[in-house]
């Protein structure tokens, strides 16, 4: 039962299939088996939020899921956000408002902010801060991140 | 920060989960939302031999109106329950408590049953179920049985369930319309487990006095504590500051929190009294606002 199990998931529209040990986290599967290193791993125990991805349309921490659990799931990582060279309005807003410095936390921030704006297109700064409170920025660039999300919300509404 | 080698079996239904747990013995562990278990495995504080994954047991993912009570399936995702109109109406304290459980991303995967079975004495859901006098439905090889909340939590991270029993649902009594609810916590950061927490539900009768009150505290001992003495002071009394102070004064005798790395026991005890005052006042205000 500790044997490898076949895992097949759709990530950013592509099907990835690999045999995985049950202990392999989904984050490591995405980075090492699929080569999608845009999903960053900070704390590896569900505190920093850097590895946040979309699983079946909702945010999930990839370090808190096992790869075997993702069999049959549809996943979006940061690589799947932009349409080729065309950034999403949220990504564009991060660029325009210095929403990233080192960029380590950015994939997780983008995922959580995307989910927020889907359900709440006009959030207050407090709501943005509360929603992103589970994502740590080691550059402490929170102010610019909040500004970016509010800017994206405004542009998406107009 | 990588889990140790572990086996994995995906249960298709509750009976299969029970059979897998029976087969693999006491070192097997049920995997629900994984928001507590997986980090424990990454720290190697937990090293189960086999994970029995309930995530494909769709029959445990529901919220059901039973008239005088609300039944929540063990695999209902916390975020779904938090945003459910039925829960908002029948068990508003559950929705309020869930907003304090981790972050939205955790609640997307985290389950109501997983948090209860994990039985962290600092966590919101065990405290809520204790406070409301809920009932835990479990299923094992001998069939289903139900366990009252006060008998379910027996110690830190320990429940009255046998190793081969699965928590299938929690039943919460429906609170009367107009009940005010509140959750007050002392936490270092938003989304952290609270050092101390109090949940409160208060209903005011036609004459304006308290005719229903439910109070429980987290982080004050090995299991969540229902604050019976404080409830007894408040019920039948007008909702005055004096009555609330008298209720809070009973907390010191009702809880005996240990000292630990986060806070001395005396501080937790004092904070439990203070949080009770805040929670009851907020619950009363909300009850009056809805009247």
């Amino acid at each position: 039962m500790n044997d490898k199990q076949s895992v097949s998931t759709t990530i950013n529209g592509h099907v990835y299939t690999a045999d995985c040990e049950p202990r392999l986290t989904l984050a490591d599967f995405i980075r090492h088996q699929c080569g999608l290193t845009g999903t960053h791993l900070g704390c590896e125990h569900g505190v920093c939020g850097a590895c946040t991805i979309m699983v079946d349309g909702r945010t999930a921490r990839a370090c808190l899921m096992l790869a075997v659990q993702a069999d049959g799931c549809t996943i979006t990582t940061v690589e799947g956000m932009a349409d080729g060279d065309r950034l999403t309005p949220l990504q564009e807003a991060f660029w325009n408002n210095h929403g990233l410095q080192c960029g380590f936390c950015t994939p997780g921030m983008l995922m959580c902010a995307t989910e927020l704006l889907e359900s709440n297109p006009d959030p207050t700064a407090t709501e943005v801060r509360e929603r992103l409170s589970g994502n740590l920025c080691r550059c402490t660039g929170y102010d610019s991140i909040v500004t970016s999300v509010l800017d994206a919300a405004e542009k998406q509404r107009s | 920060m990588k889990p140790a080698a572990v086996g994995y079996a995906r249960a298709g239904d509750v009976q299969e989960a029970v059979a897998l747990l029976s087969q693999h013995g006491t070192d097997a562990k049920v995997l629900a939302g994984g928001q507590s278990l997986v980090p424990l495995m990454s720290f190697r504080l937990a090293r189960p031999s086999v994970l029995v994954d309930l995530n494909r047991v769709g029959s445990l993912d529901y919220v059901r109106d039973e008239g005088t009570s609300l039944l929540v399936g063990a695999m209902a995702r916390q975020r779904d329950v938090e945003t459910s109109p039925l829960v908002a109406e029948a068990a508003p304290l559950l929705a309020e408590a869930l907003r304090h459980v981790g972050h939205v991303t955790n609640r997307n995967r985290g389950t109501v049953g997983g948090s209860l079975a994990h039985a962290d004495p600092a966590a919101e859901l065990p405290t809520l179920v204790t406070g409301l006098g809920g009932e835990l439905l479990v299923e094992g090889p001998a069939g289903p049985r139900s366990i009252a909340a006060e008998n379910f939590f027996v110690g830190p991270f320990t429940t009255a369930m046998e190793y081969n029993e699965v928590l299938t649902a929690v039943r919460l009594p429906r609170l009367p319309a107009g009940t005010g609810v509140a959750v007050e916590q002392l936490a270092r950061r938003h989304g952290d487990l609270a050092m101390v927490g109090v949940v409160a539900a208060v209903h005011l009768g036609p004459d304006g006095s308290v005719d229903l009150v439910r109070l429980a505290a987290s982080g004050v001992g090995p299991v969540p504590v229902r604050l019976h003495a404080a409830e007894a002071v408040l019920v039948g009394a007008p909702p005055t500051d004096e009555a609330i102070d008298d209720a809070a004064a009973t907390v010191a005798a009702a809880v005996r929190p240990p000292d630990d790395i986060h806070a001395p026991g005396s501080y937790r005890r004092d904070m439990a009294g203070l949080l009770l005052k805040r929670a009851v006042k907020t619950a009363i205000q909300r009850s009056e606002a809805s009247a």
Side-chain angles (χ1 to χ4, degrees):
Chain A
M1 192 168 286
N2 297 27
D3 293 347
K4 289 187 174 183
Q5 302 199 9
S6 175
V7 176
S8 182
T9 68
T10 304
I11 307 179
N12 306 329
H14 301 278
V15 177
Y16 293 84
T17 303
D19 291 331
C20 302
E21 278 188 79
R23 70 172 177 153
L24 184 74
T25 65
L26 180 56
D28 281 337
F29 174 81
I30 288 169
R31 289 179 58 83
H32 301 145
Q33 255 71 11
C34 308
L36 297 169
T37 52
T39 298
H40 295 161
L41 260 177
C43 70
E44 297 193 301
H45 65 280
V47 169
C48 77
C51 69
T52 306
I53 56 171
M54 292 275 184
V55 178
D56 295 332
R58 307 173 89 174
T59 58
R61 290 181 166 171
C63 72
L64 298 186
M65 268 184 83
L66 300 173
V68 288
Q69 293 187 279
D71 188 46
C73 291
T74 301
I75 291 170
T76 306
T77 66
V78 69
E79 291 95 335
M81 289 185 78
D83 179 12
D85 289 341
R86 271 176 39 126
L87 299 179
T88 66
L90 183 67
Q91 290 174 307
E92 196 80 40
F94 267 66
W95 188 350
N96 290 334
N97 294 285
H98 306 288
L100 61 155
Q101 294 175 52
C102 84
F104 195 89
C105 70
T106 313
M109 293 284 182
L110 289 170
M111 290 293 156
C112 289
T114 299
E115 185 178 56
L116 170 66
L117 295 181
E118 279 171 5
S119 63
N120 182 357
D122 189 12
T124 63
T126 305
E127 286 170 332
V128 173
R129 283 181 185 276
E130 182 175 349
R131 183 59 73 98
L132 298 180
S133 62
N135 295 62
L136 303 183
C137 167
R138 62 186 182 184
C139 311
T140 69
Y142 296 106
D143 235 43
S144 310
I145 293 169
V146 173
T147 305
S148 303
V149 177
L150 292 172
D151 184 36
E154 193 182 322
K155 292 225 164 66
Q156 279 179 330
R157 287 198 306 275
S158 57
Chain B
M1 287 297 184
K2 311 283 185 194
V6 63
Y8 175 83
R10 188 179 291 141
D13 55 36
V14 174
Q15 289 71 29
E16 192 182 354
V18 170
L20 284 163
L21 290 170
S22 299
Q23 177 192 340
H24 292 290
T26 52
D27 287 340
K29 195 97 180 121
V30 170
L31 175 61
Q35 304 299 293
S36 299
L37 177 57
V38 176
L40 286 175
M41 290 172 61
S42 292
F43 276 119
R44 310 226 173 167
L45 293 169
R47 288 191 69 163
S49 58
V50 176
L51 292 172
V52 175
D53 188 355
L54 293 186
N55 280 277
R56 304 289 166 100
V57 184
S59 62
L60 294 182
D61 180 3
Y62 62 87
V63 180
R64 197 174 296 153
D65 189 353
E66 291 194 310
T68 58
S69 60
L70 184 76
L71 196 63
V72 182
M75 288 300 291
R77 304 287 168 183
Q78 291 162 355
R79 181 66 173 165
D80 291 336
V81 175
E82 173 194 348
T83 54
S84 153
L86 173 60
V87 171
E89 182 246 320
L93 187 55
L94 175 57
E96 184 75 15
L98 280 167
R99 284 192 270 279
H100 293 265
V101 177
H103 306 278
V104 171
T105 304
N106 301 110
R107 304 199 289 273
N108 281 341
R109 294 232 18 114
T111 63
V112 169
S115 176
L116 293 170
H118 185 55
D120 188 329
E124 292 82 3
L125 295 186
T127 309
L128 163 104
V129 174
T130 300
L132 292 184
E135 189 185 358
L136 290 304
L137 308 186
V138 308
E139 192 160 332
R145 66 180 176 125
S146 98
I147 306 171
E150 58 187 324
N151 300 323
F152 184 77
F153 303 105
V154 299
F157 309 103
T158 310
T159 73
M161 285 193 293
E162 297 294 328
Y163 75 95
N164 54 2
E165 284 183 315
V166 173
L167 179 63
T168 57
V170 58
R171 179 176 285 128
L172 296 172
R174 177 188 278 267
L175 295 171
T179 302
V181 300
V183 175
E184 288 287 343
Q185 296 192 330
L186 173 71
R188 289 249 182 241
R189 292 167 299 195
H190 180 85
D192 278 9
L193 271 175
M195 283 187 275
V196 189
V198 171
V199 301
V202 180
H203 187 264
L204 302 178
D207 64 351
S209 63
V210 175
D211 69 355
L212 176 147
V213 56
R214 298 282 182 271
L215 298 166
S218 63
V220 291
V223 296
V225 177
R226 173 98 176 254
L227 300 169
H228 288 288
E231 291 180 5
V233 168
L234 283 168
V235 77
T240 58
D241 285 354
E242 293 71 36
I244 295 167
D245 287 347
D246 290 347
T250 67
V251 172
V255 301
R256 197 131 305 161
D259 299 333
D260 70 10
I261 186 173
H262 301 293
S266 58
Y267 177 68
R268 287 173 185 269
R269 188 193 60 215
D270 293 350
M271 285 304 297
L274 178 67
L275 294 173
L276 179 136
K277 287 187 205 177
R278 289 182 188 164
V280 170
K281 281 177 187 172
T282 302
I284 287 169
Q285 279 164 11
R286 289 179 176 169
S287 178
E288 286 169 342
S290 71

